[in-house]
Amino acid sequence: MNSKAIYGDVIADVIEEVTIQLDQAIAAGVKRENIILDPGLGFAKDAHHNWEILERIDEFLALGYPVLIGHSRKRFIGGDTPDEREAGTLKISQSLVGKGIWAVRVHSVAPHVELVK
């Protein structure tokens, strides 16, 4: 997947691709209210791309769809093992609180519930 991580502007390029997919879904009869947007952290993106998406998440929110972030324990966070990435996962989730994210996909639910409380 990393061999496909070639972007001029990762945000503009991903938004362009997402917009094409959104248009196709709607044209195929998927109701707008049934769509959740996931910018695809870790999929054909290097660490820099993933961090840029997180920093500029408002540009995805501006598309007007619920946004899901699946960052849990991904390699770009650092650490050699998934367990070593848990603290980073929590920090990213904390940075997303209050930004209008619809949901985060995580492995350890309980600490994230506490974080949001």
Side-chain angles (χ1 to χ4, degrees), residues 1 5 7 10 12 25-26 28 30-31 45 59 78-79 83 87-88 90 105 113 116:
M1 291 290 280
Y7 300 96
V10 68
I26 291 168
V30 177
K31 293 181 181 177
K45 294 167 191 78
E59 294 178 49
D83 287 342
L90 283 160
R105 187 209 42 84
V113 170
V116 172

Side-chain angles (χ1 to χ4, degrees), residues 3-78:
S3 68
K4 296 182 180 188
I6 301 168
Y7 300 96
D9 174 346
V10 68
I11 305 304
D13 293 351
V14 172
I15 286 176
E16 180 180 357
E17 179 62 28
V18 164
T19 301
I20 291 167
Q21 297 300 317
L22 290 168
D23 291 345
Q24 289 177 351
I26 291 168
V30 177
K31 293 181 181 177
R32 184 178 170 86
E33 61 268 17
N34 291 335
I35 296 174
I36 299 167
L37 192 153
D38 180 348
L41 296 179
F43 293 92
K45 294 167 191 78
D46 64 24
H48 173 75
H49 298 137
N50 294 319
W51 288 115
E52 189 166 354
I53 288 169
L54 289 169
E55 289 170 12
R56 295 172 58 188
I57 198 64
D58 57 313
E59 294 178 49
F60 290 92
L61 291 165
L63 296 174
Y65 292 87
V67 174
L68 167 73
I69 300 296
H71 62 292
S72 186
R73 301 179 181 176
K74 297 235 170 133
R75 286 188 181 101
F76 78 91
I77 294 171

Side-chain angles (χ1 to χ4, degrees), residues 63-103:
L63 296 174
Y65 292 87
V67 174
L68 167 73
I69 300 296
H71 62 292
S72 186
R73 301 179 181 176
K74 297 235 170 133
R75 286 188 181 101
F76 78 91
I77 294 171
D80 293 328
T81 67
D83 287 342
E84 291 174 356
R85 299 178 196 126
E86 189 60 33
T89 297
L90 283 160
K91 285 188 181 276
I92 292 169
S93 295
Q94 184 176 30
S95 77
L96 295 171
V97 171
K99 290 195 176 180
I101 300 299
W102 176 77

